[in-house]
Amino acid sequence: MKPYHVVWKGPVHKVSGLGRATRAYAQSLKRQGVAVSMGTSSHYKNGTQGKKVLIYHHIPSSIQWKKERSIYDLIILNTVWETSKIPKGWLPHMNKFDAICVPSTHNKRTLRNSGVKVPIFIVPHGVNTKEFHPKNKKMSLPGTAGRFTFVSVFGFQHRKNPEGLLRAYWEEFSSKDNVVLVIKTNGFGAHENERWIQTKIAQYKKRLGIQKDTAPVIIIGRQLSDSQLKGLHTLGDVFVLPTRGEGVGLPFLEALASGVPVITTSWGGQMDFLTHNNSFLIPYQLRSPSSSMNRAISKKFSNLFGQKGQLWAEPNLGGLKKLMRKAYQNPGLCKQKGRQGRKDMLHLSWDRAGALMKHAIEEVIRSKK
């Protein structure tokens, strides 16, 4: 293969899971010996040799085709989607890329079912099992000592189903149970800070009419350092997130790498690596996203998720309650599933992702000769 140079355009500086995945993908490609620049084509002005490849890791409809085609020989989309059908405004753009990389079989199926015709490569996320490790020092958090701890990490949006998680927990556990639920979350606007999120949750509890003495919930709405995030995972006895749809579910990978099992919905990109041996899987029914939006307590992104024909999973609330109770009553089973999860994650490195991405790029280069 003749030399080629990759420019990666994506949310490189974001502190979110998406930002961390972007940086990890690009770094893993570099470790495979690929020349990679982040976010700019200025490197080409000095007479770069070989094919110029753009990996576009933004919303497909935002690309400036004329400009990018004048610079690059090949343009590959790296994307992810969470429902059964992509937003209709994306399709015409997607079919103009030379190829698309997605992180899960769920995504590939969704794109094909939505009418995407160009080559699709599965390039899964990885997890750094040296960083996320069962021996990481537990985060020090008042109110958790000696309690069975449920941990959840998500952006405060309707797709993540905070309503289902909170309702199941409040209805299933009382202050007589030795449990605590720790939610690490974030809003999407400047005003959506920790206090705002806590207020939304308190209003929701009132709306449900839950009067009983419920088990405690701790909300962390501020940014955590890398070491705090790792310590939050090891603080948990089990990770819980009854999500409605995931392209991958990076926190699941990080929890399992930390030796902590997962309670989540059995539909979505996470089903490439979650099993009954490392997780507690919630039954679900496929529903239109808009069917539950009127009850949302968090950001809905209805312009993306409220389109006709889209489906995602509505997890069964009774099933979630049973699994949370089962985990609480069986700490030994949680440890067993966590050990298996750790073992499973050792095979899902970012180096593997980089090798698959390199293979995809070189396949596309060969096909365009």
Side-chain angles (χ1 to χ4, degrees):
M1 174 67 58
K2 287 181 180 173
Y4 58 92
H5 191 112
V6 170
V7 166
W8 192 293
K9 286 191 179 179
V12 179
H13 303 296
K14 278 198 172 180
V15 294
S16 64
L18 183 62
R20 284 190 292 127
T22 300
R23 293 188 291 277
Y25 270 129
Q27 286 156 6
S28 68
L29 257 188
K30 282 183 183 177
R31 288 196 299 275
Q32 297 296 321
V34 177
V36 181
S37 308
M38 300 293 271
T40 173
S41 56
S42 59
H43 298 75
Y44 291 151
K45 290 171 185 171
N46 303 324
T48 304
Q49 297 300 305
K51 296 278 185 190
K52 299 165 187 171
V53 181
L54 171 63
I55 294 185
Y56 193 76
H57 196 178
H58 288 296
I59 290 172
S61 53
S62 66
I63 190 167
Q64 295 175 281
W65 280 111
K66 197 173 177 184
K67 178 190 165 197
E68 304 298 20
R69 282 288 182 203
S70 72
I71 300 169
Y72 299 100
D73 299 300
L74 296 167
I75 303 178
I76 297 171
L77 176 67
N78 190 59
T79 195
V80 63
W81 189 244
E82 295 92 0
T83 74
S84 64
K85 200 173 179 186
I86 59 172
K88 59 176 183 284
W90 287 17
L91 185 61
H93 290 277
M94 280 186 157
N95 279 323
K96 288 182 189 174
F97 286 91
D98 295 299
I100 299 174
C101 292
V102 294
S104 63
T105 50
H106 167 79
N107 275 189
K108 185 171 182 177
R109 191 165 51 242
T110 291
L111 266 58
R112 283 284 178 246
N113 290 345
S114 301
V116 172
K117 305 283 189 233
V118 299
I120 300 171
F121 296 88
I122 297 175
V123 180
H125 278 30
V127 62
N128 188 331
T129 53
K130 286 181 182 149
E131 285 190 12
F132 289 90
H133 194 283
K135 290 183 180 168
N136 282 336
K137 188 184 174 192
K138 292 182 182 186
M139 184 180 176
S140 176
L141 199 60
T144 59
R147 288 180 180 269
F148 184 95
T149 304
F150 294 96
V151 166
S152 196
V153 178
F154 58 89
F156 198 62
Q157 59 166 305
H158 172 244
R159 176 171 62 83
K160 301 290 186 174
N161 196 14
E163 308 88 358
L165 172 59
L166 289 161
R167 183 172 183 172
Y169 178 76
W170 285 329
E171 290 181 357
E172 185 60 30
F173 299 103
S174 75
S175 59
K176 291 181 185 130
D177 295 297
N178 191 31
V179 298
V180 61
L181 170 60
V182 180
I183 294 175
K184 161 65 186 90
T185 190
N186 61 276
F188 294 89
H191 68 288
E192 296 178 7
N193 56 19
E194 187 172 282
R195 183 174 287 186
W196 180 87
I197 291 167
Q198 286 169 334
T199 302
K200 285 279 181 188
I201 288 170
Q203 288 169 343
Y204 176 56
K205 191 175 187 183
K206 198 173 174 184
R207 197 169 88 212
L208 289 175
I210 293 173
Q211 305 290 339
K212 71 169 187 165
D213 196 9
T214 52
V217 177
I218 298 170
I219 306 296
I220 303 171
R222 62 190 181 279
Q223 198 178 314
L224 296 182
S225 68
D226 286 351
S227 65
Q228 284 175 317
L229 180 62
K230 291 166 201 166
L232 176 61
H233 277 299
T234 49
L235 177 68
D237 293 285
V238 69
F239 183 95
V240 57
L241 182 62
T243 179
R244 294 179 165 110
E246 297 292 328
V248 185
L250 191 58
F252 301 140
L253 291 163
E254 293 171 347
L256 291 173
S258 305
V260 177
V262 166
I263 301 175
T264 194
T265 319
S266 54
W267 184 86
Q270 68 270 27
M271 294 312 294
D272 280 3
F273 56 88
L274 295 187
T275 69
H276 288 288
N277 292 326
N278 62 28
S279 305
F280 300 89
L281 298 169
I282 311 163
Y284 67 90
Q285 286 185 312
L286 289 178
R287 293 263 187 268
S288 159
S290 53
S291 67
S292 54
M293 280 185 182
N294 62 340
R295 301 190 298 277
I297 63 169
S298 54
K299 198 164 181 86
K300 293 182 272 199
F301 294 103
S302 51
N303 59 320
L304 292 172
F305 299 124
Q307 295 187 9
K308 196 177 174 186
Q310 288 181 327
L311 297 170
W312 65 16
E314 201 58 52
N316 180 282
L317 207 65
L320 171 57
K321 288 183 196 177
K322 276 182 192 164
L323 291 174
M324 289 177 84
R325 175 65 65 179
K326 183 178 181 179
Y328 170 52
Q329 289 177 338
N330 296 276
L333 178 62
C334 289
K335 285 188 169 65
Q336 182 188 318
K337 284 180 184 278
R339 281 193 298 271
Q340 184 60 50
R342 168 72 186 171
K343 210 179 283 183
D344 295 341
M345 293 307 100
L346 293 172
H347 305 291
L348 304 185
S349 69
W350 278 111
D351 282 342
R352 169 177 170 259
L356 288 165
M357 179 73 76
K358 182 184 180 186
H359 170 76
I361 294 165
E362 293 181 359
E363 281 289 300
V364 178
I365 291 171
R366 273 191 282 270
S367 73
K368 295 290 178 182
K369 278 182 179 174

